[in-house]
Amino acid sequence: MCACYALPIKELKESSFFANPEAYTFGTYVKEFGKIYKSEEMLLREVIFNQNMKKIHDVNAKFRAGIYTWTASVNKFTDLTSSEMKRFKGLKKDRRQKNAVPFAEANPGLLTASKLQALPPAVDWRSKGVVSPVKDQGGCGSCWAFSSTEAIESAVALATGKLPILAPQQFVDCVKNPNQCGGTGGCEGATQPIAFNYTVPVGLASESAYPYTGMDGTCNTQAKPTAGIKGYVQLALNDWTQLMTAVANVGPVSISAAAEAWQLYFGGVFNAGAMCGYDIDHAVMVDGYGVDSASGLGYWLVRNSWGGLWGEGGYIRIFRELNATSVTCGTDNTPGDGFGCQGGPPSIQVCGECGILSDSSYPTGAFLY
């Protein structure tokens, strides 16, 4: 089952939905977003749209009542089921990778009591000029490639003062997933550490030299590298303190999360609890953290790869506990969607809102060729 879209999928900064949400119809949505369906699919898409509209109205009613701290809206995904949204993710995690340096070993001086007490109340690496514009992975399950690419871009910018725009398509085409952690690589899923390890010997080309196609392709071994790294650091599993310390002192960090409930997010601090769940299925970036002035809630500043007109300019602010002792955890019973590999455990514990503390890493020794 798939929607046949006009290409590119149309996005709107200001839909007529905002003028009169209760009167917004499927017909208006189809026209505004330029959707094109096969004739036999039209009724199905309308049913899905109406189901999602009910979710949007429920979320916004609870926001107005002071129950929720985030809002929902129509977007290019409003006619898709949660199952169909899987193709806009694509995380297949494997922690059993070589060359990983533990965070505590790489940064022993940052985890002292005095350093932890001196962590700034808010960080936003976008203001430092080391974060590239929000990207769009399209319908390829390549979130892992985008998270890896963006992490390398920021690491290079921090090391050299120059921010390159690099090629996630090289990862999609060239990186293999030998342990078949729920996927086989490319649009079928892989992992940031696999991408980091691939980059160490061969480097990564620029986006202009190796453009993104949003589909599996043949590896272009002739593409000249623009940037490289020497290794990567792996944060401890489910460690709030290490993620805070890394984001505050090192730079943007690649993370994993349970993103099923993000589909209709529009703005605010996403504090969804059970709605978010712990089924880790998406790879994104943490570019900072802070405290929301309206709600008083802490948040992680998370860069997604669903385009700049989704959420808050392509970002979602995920609820962040204000200290490590307040962190809640849950069980991912389908680790094959996230961390699981062949022969792995049938379930894993993940912590933080949407399991955001579950798996975090960043590249080291970044340089330009």
Side-chain angles (χ1 to χ4, degrees), residues 89-93 135 137 140-153 166-175 185-187 189-196 199 204 212 254 282-285 305:
K89 303 171 193 174
L91 178 68
K92 309 295 179 185
K93 296 299 292 181
K135 300 175 175 63
Q137 71 183 79
C140 168
S142 54
C143 62
W144 62 276
F146 279 79
S147 179
S148 306
T149 299
E150 291 160 357
I152 295 172
E153 290 171 342
L166 301 175
Q169 188 66 41
Q170 184 175 347
F171 287 147
V172 172
D173 290 350
C174 303
V175 171
C187 292
T191 163
Q192 299 105 309
I194 293 177
F196 293 152
T199 307
L204 190 60
Y212 186 65
S254 290
H282 199 33
V284 286
M285 292 294 297
S305 51

Short mmCIF file of all heavy atoms in Angstrom, two decimals, residues 89-93 135 137 140-153 166-175 185-187 189-196 199 204 212 254 282-285 305:
data_model
loop_
_atom_site.label_atom_id
_atom_site.label_comp_id
_atom_site.label_asym_id
_atom_site.label_seq_id
_atom_site.Cartn_x
_atom_site.Cartn_y
_atom_site.Cartn_z
N LYS A 89 12.01 6.48 8.29
CA LYS A 89 12.93 6.31 9.42
C LYS A 89 14.08 5.45 8.92
O LYS A 89 14.84 5.87 8.09
CB LYS A 89 12.20 5.71 10.62
CG LYS A 89 11.01 6.55 11.07
CD LYS A 89 10.18 5.81 12.11
CE LYS A 89 8.84 6.49 12.32
NZ LYS A 89 7.96 5.71 13.20
N GLY A 90 14.22 4.22 9.48
CA GLY A 90 15.21 3.30 8.94
C GLY A 90 16.39 3.02 9.83
O GLY A 90 17.47 2.70 9.34
N LEU A 91 16.21 3.09 11.15
CA LEU A 91 17.31 2.80 12.06
C LEU A 91 17.37 1.30 12.33
O LEU A 91 16.39 0.70 12.75
CB LEU A 91 17.11 3.54 13.39
CG LEU A 91 18.18 3.28 14.45
CD1 LEU A 91 19.51 3.87 14.02
CD2 LEU A 91 17.76 3.84 15.78
N LYS A 92 18.51 0.70 12.09
CA LYS A 92 18.73 -0.70 12.41
C LYS A 92 20.05 -0.77 13.16
O LYS A 92 21.12 -0.83 12.57
CB LYS A 92 18.79 -1.56 11.14
CG LYS A 92 17.61 -1.33 10.20
CD LYS A 92 16.30 -1.75 10.83
CE LYS A 92 15.15 -1.50 9.86
NZ LYS A 92 13.85 -1.77 10.45
N LYS A 93 19.96 -0.74 14.47
CA LYS A 93 21.14 -0.49 15.29
C LYS A 93 21.92 -1.75 15.62
O LYS A 93 21.38 -2.82 15.79
CB LYS A 93 20.75 0.18 16.59
CG LYS A 93 20.15 1.56 16.42
CD LYS A 93 21.09 2.53 15.79
CE LYS A 93 22.26 2.85 16.69
NZ LYS A 93 23.19 3.83 16.09
N LYS A 135 17.77 18.53 6.53
CA LYS A 135 17.68 17.75 5.30
C LYS A 135 16.39 16.93 5.28
O LYS A 135 15.67 16.86 6.28
CB LYS A 135 18.90 16.84 5.18
CG LYS A 135 20.24 17.57 5.14
CD LYS A 135 21.40 16.59 5.14
CE LYS A 135 22.75 17.27 4.98
NZ LYS A 135 23.10 18.17 6.09
N GLN A 137 15.13 13.06 4.14
CA GLN A 137 15.49 11.73 3.66
C GLN A 137 14.48 11.15 2.68
O GLN A 137 14.77 10.15 2.02
CB GLN A 137 15.66 10.78 4.85
CG GLN A 137 14.34 10.41 5.52
CD GLN A 137 14.54 9.53 6.74
OE1 GLN A 137 14.88 10.03 7.81
NE2 GLN A 137 14.33 8.23 6.58
N CYS A 140 13.05 6.94 1.75
CA CYS A 140 14.12 5.95 1.93
C CYS A 140 14.41 5.83 3.42
O CYS A 140 14.49 6.83 4.12
CB CYS A 140 15.36 6.39 1.15
SG CYS A 140 16.89 5.51 1.50
N GLY A 141 14.58 4.60 3.91
CA GLY A 141 14.87 4.40 5.33
C GLY A 141 16.31 4.70 5.67
O GLY A 141 17.05 3.83 6.17
N SER A 142 16.72 5.93 5.42
CA SER A 142 18.13 6.32 5.52
C SER A 142 18.42 7.29 6.65
O SER A 142 19.41 8.02 6.60
CB SER A 142 18.57 6.95 4.19
OG SER A 142 17.70 8.01 3.82
N CYS A 143 17.57 7.32 7.67
CA CYS A 143 17.80 8.25 8.78
C CYS A 143 19.18 8.07 9.37
O CYS A 143 19.84 9.05 9.75
CB CYS A 143 16.73 8.07 9.85
SG CYS A 143 16.70 6.43 10.63
N TRP A 144 19.65 6.83 9.45
CA TRP A 144 20.98 6.54 9.99
C TRP A 144 22.08 7.23 9.18
O TRP A 144 23.07 7.70 9.73
CB TRP A 144 21.20 5.02 10.00
CG TRP A 144 21.17 4.42 8.62
CD1 TRP A 144 20.07 4.03 7.92
CD2 TRP A 144 22.29 4.22 7.75
NE1 TRP A 144 20.42 3.57 6.67
CE2 TRP A 144 21.77 3.67 6.55
CE3 TRP A 144 23.66 4.42 7.87
CZ2 TRP A 144 22.59 3.32 5.47
CZ3 TRP A 144 24.48 4.08 6.80
CH2 TRP A 144 23.94 3.54 5.61
N ALA A 145 21.89 7.27 7.84
CA ALA A 145 22.87 7.92 6.97
C ALA A 145 22.87 9.43 7.17
O ALA A 145 23.93 10.08 7.14
CB ALA A 145 22.59 7.57 5.51
N PHE A 146 21.69 10.01 7.36
CA PHE A 146 21.59 11.45 7.58
C PHE A 146 22.17 11.83 8.94
O PHE A 146 22.90 12.83 9.06
CB PHE A 146 20.15 11.90 7.44
CG PHE A 146 19.72 12.09 6.01
CD1 PHE A 146 19.39 10.99 5.23
CD2 PHE A 146 19.68 13.34 5.43
CE1 PHE A 146 19.03 11.14 3.90
CE2 PHE A 146 19.33 13.51 4.10
CZ PHE A 146 19.00 12.40 3.33
N SER A 147 21.85 11.08 9.97
CA SER A 147 22.39 11.36 11.29
C SER A 147 23.91 11.29 11.27
O SER A 147 24.61 12.15 11.82
CB SER A 147 21.82 10.37 12.31
OG SER A 147 22.35 10.60 13.59
N SER A 148 24.45 10.26 10.61
CA SER A 148 25.91 10.10 10.52
C SER A 148 26.54 11.26 9.75
O SER A 148 27.56 11.83 10.16
CB SER A 148 26.25 8.78 9.83
OG SER A 148 25.61 7.69 10.46
N THR A 149 25.95 11.59 8.60
CA THR A 149 26.47 12.68 7.77
C THR A 149 26.47 14.00 8.53
O THR A 149 27.46 14.75 8.52
CB THR A 149 25.61 12.82 6.50
OG1 THR A 149 25.68 11.61 5.75
CG2 THR A 149 26.10 13.98 5.63
N GLU A 150 25.37 14.30 9.20
CA GLU A 150 25.25 15.56 9.93
C GLU A 150 26.23 15.64 11.09
O GLU A 150 26.79 16.71 11.38
CB GLU A 150 23.81 15.73 10.40
CG GLU A 150 22.84 15.96 9.25
CD GLU A 150 21.39 15.67 9.60
OE1 GLU A 150 21.12 15.23 10.73
OE2 GLU A 150 20.53 15.89 8.73
N ALA A 151 26.47 14.50 11.75
CA ALA A 151 27.44 14.48 12.83
C ALA A 151 28.84 14.77 12.31
O ALA A 151 29.62 15.50 12.94
CB ALA A 151 27.40 13.12 13.54
N ILE A 152 29.19 14.21 11.16
CA ILE A 152 30.51 14.45 10.58
C ILE A 152 30.63 15.90 10.13
O ILE A 152 31.67 16.54 10.33
CB ILE A 152 30.77 13.47 9.43
CG1 ILE A 152 30.85 12.03 9.96
CG2 ILE A 152 32.06 13.83 8.70
CD1 ILE A 152 30.91 10.97 8.89
N GLU A 153 29.58 16.44 9.51
CA GLU A 153 29.60 17.85 9.10
C GLU A 153 29.92 18.75 10.29
O GLU A 153 30.79 19.63 10.20
CB GLU A 153 28.25 18.24 8.51
CG GLU A 153 27.95 17.63 7.16
CD GLU A 153 26.53 17.86 6.70
OE1 GLU A 153 25.67 18.18 7.57
OE2 GLU A 153 26.25 17.71 5.50
N LEU A 166 27.82 17.38 3.19
CA LEU A 166 28.32 16.07 2.78
C LEU A 166 27.21 15.17 2.24
O LEU A 166 26.04 15.56 2.19
CB LEU A 166 29.05 15.42 3.96
CG LEU A 166 30.25 16.24 4.49
CD1 LEU A 166 30.85 15.58 5.72
CD2 LEU A 166 31.30 16.43 3.41
N ALA A 167 27.59 13.97 1.82
CA ALA A 167 26.73 13.12 0.99
C ALA A 167 26.19 11.90 1.73
O ALA A 167 26.86 10.85 1.76
CB ALA A 167 27.51 12.66 -0.24
N PRO A 168 24.96 11.96 2.25
CA PRO A 168 24.37 10.75 2.84
C PRO A 168 24.17 9.65 1.81
O PRO A 168 24.14 8.46 2.17
CB PRO A 168 23.03 11.26 3.40
CG PRO A 168 22.74 12.53 2.66
CD PRO A 168 24.07 13.13 2.38
N GLN A 169 24.04 10.00 0.53
CA GLN A 169 23.84 8.97 -0.50
C GLN A 169 25.03 8.02 -0.58
O GLN A 169 24.87 6.84 -0.89
CB GLN A 169 23.59 9.61 -1.86
CG GLN A 169 23.18 8.62 -2.93
CD GLN A 169 21.83 7.98 -2.66
OE1 GLN A 169 20.90 8.65 -2.23
NE2 GLN A 169 21.72 6.68 -2.92
N GLN A 170 26.21 8.50 -0.28
CA GLN A 170 27.39 7.62 -0.28
C GLN A 170 27.22 6.52 0.76
O GLN A 170 27.55 5.35 0.50
CB GLN A 170 28.66 8.42 -0.03
CG GLN A 170 29.93 7.56 -0.13
CD GLN A 170 31.20 8.37 0.00
OE1 GLN A 170 31.18 9.61 -0.07
NE2 GLN A 170 32.32 7.70 0.19
N PHE A 171 26.71 6.87 1.93
CA PHE A 171 26.44 5.85 2.94
C PHE A 171 25.36 4.87 2.46
O PHE A 171 25.48 3.66 2.62
CB PHE A 171 25.99 6.50 4.25
CG PHE A 171 27.09 7.19 5.01
CD1 PHE A 171 26.81 8.33 5.76
CD2 PHE A 171 28.39 6.73 4.99
CE1 PHE A 171 27.81 8.97 6.48
CE2 PHE A 171 29.40 7.36 5.69
CZ PHE A 171 29.10 8.49 6.44
N VAL A 172 24.29 5.42 1.88
CA VAL A 172 23.19 4.57 1.40
C VAL A 172 23.71 3.55 0.38
O VAL A 172 23.35 2.37 0.44
CB VAL A 172 22.08 5.44 0.77
CG1 VAL A 172 21.02 4.56 0.10
CG2 VAL A 172 21.42 6.32 1.83
N ASP A 173 24.56 3.99 -0.53
CA ASP A 173 25.03 3.12 -1.60
C ASP A 173 26.15 2.18 -1.17
O ASP A 173 26.27 1.06 -1.69
CB ASP A 173 25.55 3.95 -2.77
CG ASP A 173 24.45 4.68 -3.53
OD1 ASP A 173 23.27 4.39 -3.28
OD2 ASP A 173 24.79 5.55 -4.36
N CYS A 174 26.99 2.64 -0.24
CA CYS A 174 28.26 1.95 -0.01
C CYS A 174 28.37 1.21 1.31
O CYS A 174 29.17 0.26 1.43
CB CYS A 174 29.42 2.95 -0.10
SG CYS A 174 29.50 3.85 -1.68
N VAL A 175 27.63 1.62 2.33
CA VAL A 175 27.77 1.01 3.65
C VAL A 175 26.97 -0.28 3.71
O VAL A 175 25.80 -0.32 3.33
CB VAL A 175 27.31 1.98 4.75
CG1 VAL A 175 27.23 1.28 6.09
CG2 VAL A 175 28.25 3.17 4.83
N GLY A 185 21.20 -2.62 5.04
CA GLY A 185 21.90 -1.43 4.60
C GLY A 185 21.04 -0.58 3.69
O GLY A 185 19.91 -0.93 3.35
N GLY A 186 21.57 0.58 3.31
CA GLY A 186 20.86 1.46 2.39
C GLY A 186 19.52 1.89 2.92
O GLY A 186 19.36 2.21 4.11
N CYS A 187 18.52 1.91 2.05
CA CYS A 187 17.17 2.30 2.44
C CYS A 187 16.50 1.25 3.34
O CYS A 187 15.41 1.49 3.85
CB CYS A 187 16.30 2.52 1.20
SG CYS A 187 16.78 3.96 0.21
N GLY A 189 18.04 0.12 6.06
CA GLY A 189 18.47 0.38 7.42
C GLY A 189 19.89 -0.05 7.75
O GLY A 189 20.39 -1.05 7.25
N ALA A 190 20.54 0.74 8.60
CA ALA A 190 21.87 0.43 9.12
C ALA A 190 22.07 1.24 10.39
O ALA A 190 21.11 1.51 11.11
CB ALA A 190 22.96 0.69 8.07
N THR A 191 23.29 1.66 10.65
CA THR A 191 23.62 2.28 11.92
C THR A 191 24.67 3.37 11.77
O THR A 191 25.54 3.29 10.90
CB THR A 191 24.13 1.20 12.90
OG1 THR A 191 24.83 1.81 13.98
CG2 THR A 191 25.10 0.27 12.21
N GLN A 192 24.64 4.36 12.65
CA GLN A 192 25.64 5.42 12.62
C GLN A 192 27.05 4.88 12.85
O GLN A 192 27.97 5.26 12.11
CB GLN A 192 25.32 6.52 13.63
CG GLN A 192 23.99 7.23 13.42
CD GLN A 192 22.96 6.77 14.43
OE1 GLN A 192 22.74 5.57 14.61
NE2 GLN A 192 22.32 7.73 15.10
N PRO A 193 27.29 4.01 13.85
CA PRO A 193 28.66 3.49 14.02
C PRO A 193 29.19 2.77 12.79
O PRO A 193 30.38 2.88 12.47
CB PRO A 193 28.51 2.54 15.22
CG PRO A 193 27.43 3.16 16.03
CD PRO A 193 26.44 3.66 15.01
N ILE A 194 28.34 2.02 12.08
CA ILE A 194 28.80 1.38 10.84
C ILE A 194 29.24 2.45 9.85
O ILE A 194 30.26 2.32 9.17
CB ILE A 194 27.70 0.49 10.23
CG1 ILE A 194 27.42 -0.72 11.13
CG2 ILE A 194 28.12 0.00 8.85
CD1 ILE A 194 26.31 -1.61 10.62
N ALA A 195 28.45 3.53 9.75
CA ALA A 195 28.80 4.63 8.84
C ALA A 195 30.10 5.30 9.27
O ALA A 195 30.95 5.64 8.42
CB ALA A 195 27.67 5.64 8.79
N PHE A 196 30.27 5.54 10.56
CA PHE A 196 31.51 6.15 11.04
C PHE A 196 32.72 5.27 10.70
O PHE A 196 33.76 5.76 10.23
CB PHE A 196 31.45 6.39 12.54
CG PHE A 196 30.43 7.42 12.97
CD1 PHE A 196 29.85 7.35 14.23
CD2 PHE A 196 30.06 8.45 12.13
CE1 PHE A 196 28.92 8.29 14.64
CE2 PHE A 196 29.12 9.40 12.53
CZ PHE A 196 28.55 9.31 13.79
N THR A 199 33.70 5.50 7.14
CA THR A 199 34.31 6.78 6.78
C THR A 199 35.80 6.83 7.12
O THR A 199 36.57 7.49 6.42
CB THR A 199 33.59 7.93 7.50
OG1 THR A 199 32.19 7.84 7.25
CG2 THR A 199 34.07 9.29 7.02
N LEU A 204 34.36 10.89 3.15
CA LEU A 204 32.99 11.11 2.70
C LEU A 204 32.97 12.26 1.68
O LEU A 204 33.55 13.31 1.92
CB LEU A 204 32.08 11.46 3.88
CG LEU A 204 30.58 11.49 3.63
CD1 LEU A 204 30.06 10.14 3.15
CD2 LEU A 204 29.84 11.92 4.90
N TYR A 212 22.05 13.19 -3.41
CA TYR A 212 21.08 12.28 -2.80
C TYR A 212 19.98 11.93 -3.79
O TYR A 212 19.42 12.81 -4.44
CB TYR A 212 20.47 12.92 -1.55
CG TYR A 212 19.57 11.98 -0.77
CD1 TYR A 212 20.10 10.85 -0.15
CD2 TYR A 212 18.20 12.22 -0.65
CE1 TYR A 212 19.29 9.99 0.58
CE2 TYR A 212 17.39 11.36 0.07
CZ TYR A 212 17.94 10.25 0.68
OH TYR A 212 17.13 9.39 1.39
N SER A 254 24.89 12.25 17.53
CA SER A 254 23.94 11.34 16.88
C SER A 254 23.24 10.52 17.95
O SER A 254 23.89 9.96 18.84
CB SER A 254 24.68 10.38 15.93
OG SER A 254 25.16 11.04 14.80
N HIS A 282 14.41 5.26 14.96
CA HIS A 282 14.79 6.44 14.19
C HIS A 282 16.13 6.98 14.69
O HIS A 282 16.45 6.90 15.88
CB HIS A 282 13.71 7.50 14.35
CG HIS A 282 13.72 8.57 13.30
ND1 HIS A 282 14.10 8.35 12.00
CD2 HIS A 282 13.39 9.90 13.38
CE1 HIS A 282 13.98 9.48 11.31
NE2 HIS A 282 13.57 10.43 12.12
N ALA A 283 16.92 7.52 13.77
CA ALA A 283 18.21 8.13 14.09
C ALA A 283 18.15 9.61 13.74
O ALA A 283 17.73 9.98 12.64
CB ALA A 283 19.33 7.46 13.32
N VAL A 284 18.56 10.46 14.68
CA VAL A 284 18.49 11.91 14.51
C VAL A 284 19.70 12.55 15.18
O VAL A 284 20.65 11.86 15.54
CB VAL A 284 17.17 12.47 15.09
CG1 VAL A 284 15.99 12.13 14.20
CG2 VAL A 284 16.92 11.93 16.50
N MET A 285 19.66 13.87 15.36
CA MET A 285 20.75 14.60 15.99
C MET A 285 20.23 15.40 17.18
O MET A 285 19.15 15.98 17.12
CB MET A 285 21.38 15.59 15.01
CG MET A 285 22.12 14.96 13.84
SD MET A 285 23.59 14.04 14.33
CE MET A 285 24.59 15.35 15.05
N SER A 305 15.11 14.56 10.03
CA SER A 305 15.47 14.54 8.60
C SER A 305 14.22 14.38 7.75
O SER A 305 14.20 13.62 6.78
CB SER A 305 16.46 13.41 8.31
OG SER A 305 16.00 12.17 8.83
#
